[in-house]
Amino acid sequence: MEFKCSDVHLWKQSLSSYKTRIESLNKPNLVSLDEFYTNELPLLLRQRNPNPHITTSDLSKLMQWKLTRGKWRPRLLDFVSSLDEAVVKSSSQKSFQSLPDISKAVSELTVLKGVGPATASAVLAAYAPDVAPFMSDEAMVAALGNSKDYTLKQYLVFVDKLQAKAKELSAEGDTFTPSDVERALWSSTIGAKLPAPLAQRDPEAESTRNSKRKRKQ
């Protein structure tokens, strides 16, 4: 599925396939880590109102999720796991309070050792999925054509594109957040790499084939 695709049904199919794609990677602990990141962490953050923040333990587990779903870089995990609890709490509180100013929100988090714009985006997406999407390689390639530039400047361009796409997909009454767009793009990219037997059973792939058949008729 290309980023420019405007078929809401295909985007929904891709998003609904997300958990299946997570399972298909067969990576140790990824299913439980993804459950923590997508469901448990957002709930924890809301429970900490009126001063939401993340803990060092939260950040360490989020980093495990990010590295397991993507590329494993163990030194980053070592860095964040050794961060001072009070510093992590203070930085994340300031970051969340800065929203919707994404540039300031990211900058408040990247003062932490081991936290770059991509990890900061994962923190913000857990707290405010309707504003800030995670800066995944797959979504970056789909939306911008590359994933090499992990800078704040590039992230802001990425955010603008995904916010606009979320608005477009929500125009007919459906609700898409920028984070939904990111997950759908990630899901679609991973699905395209599935071995043929798995791809044949994949609901999004089947939907795409049916759509193409209809267009030919």
Side-chain angles (χ1 to χ4, degrees), residues 53-95:
H53 61 275
I54 57 168
T55 65
T56 302
S57 174
D58 294 336
L59 185 58
S60 178
K61 205 165 180 181
L62 178 149
M63 183 65 86
Q64 289 179 59
W65 167 82
K66 174 179 176 284
L67 298 177
T68 304
R69 203 186 81 157
K71 296 174 183 175
W72 188 256
R73 299 183 180 93
R75 285 196 70 198
L76 293 181
L77 185 56
D78 291 340
F79 287 147
V80 301
S81 298
S82 60
L83 288 168
D84 180 78
E85 189 72 57
V87 174
V88 172
K89 180 179 180 180
S90 173
S91 293
S92 57
Q93 275 186 341
K94 290 176 183 175
S95 174

Side-chain angles (χ1 to χ4, degrees), residues 9 61 148-149 161 179 189 217:
H9 179 68
K61 205 165 180 181
K148 306 292 186 186
D149 188 358
K161 294 265 288 187
S179 289
T189 301
Q217 290 172 356

Side-chain angles (χ1 to χ4, degrees), residues 22-57:
I22 286 288
E23 292 167 0
S24 75
L25 293 179
N26 289 318
K27 291 187 176 182
N29 303 317
L30 180 56
V31 172
S32 60
L33 286 169
D34 194 74
E35 173 65 21
F36 166 77
Y37 179 72
T38 58
N39 296 315
E40 296 169 23
L41 182 56
L43 183 60
L44 282 172
L45 295 175
R46 286 195 295 272
Q47 289 172 346
R48 292 172 188 156
N49 281 328
N51 296 304
H53 61 275
I54 57 168
T55 65
T56 302
S57 174

Side-chain angles (χ1 to χ4, degrees), residues 181-196:
V181 173
E182 184 278 322
R183 285 195 183 106
L185 291 170
W186 182 88
S187 176
S188 181
T189 301
I190 298 302
K193 297 175 183 177
L194 286 174

Side-chain angles (χ1 to χ4, degrees), residues 1 33 44 68 73 89 93 96 99 106 112 116 118 120 133-134 147 159 161 163-164 167 176 194 203 207 216:
M1 183 181 69
L33 286 169
L44 282 172
T68 304
R73 299 183 180 93
K89 180 179 180 180
Q93 275 186 341
F96 295 157
L99 291 170
V106 169
L112 300 170
F134 171 49
S147 63
V159 169
K161 294 265 288 187
Q163 285 182 345
K167 186 175 181 180
F176 270 85
L194 286 174
S207 175
K216 289 179 181 177

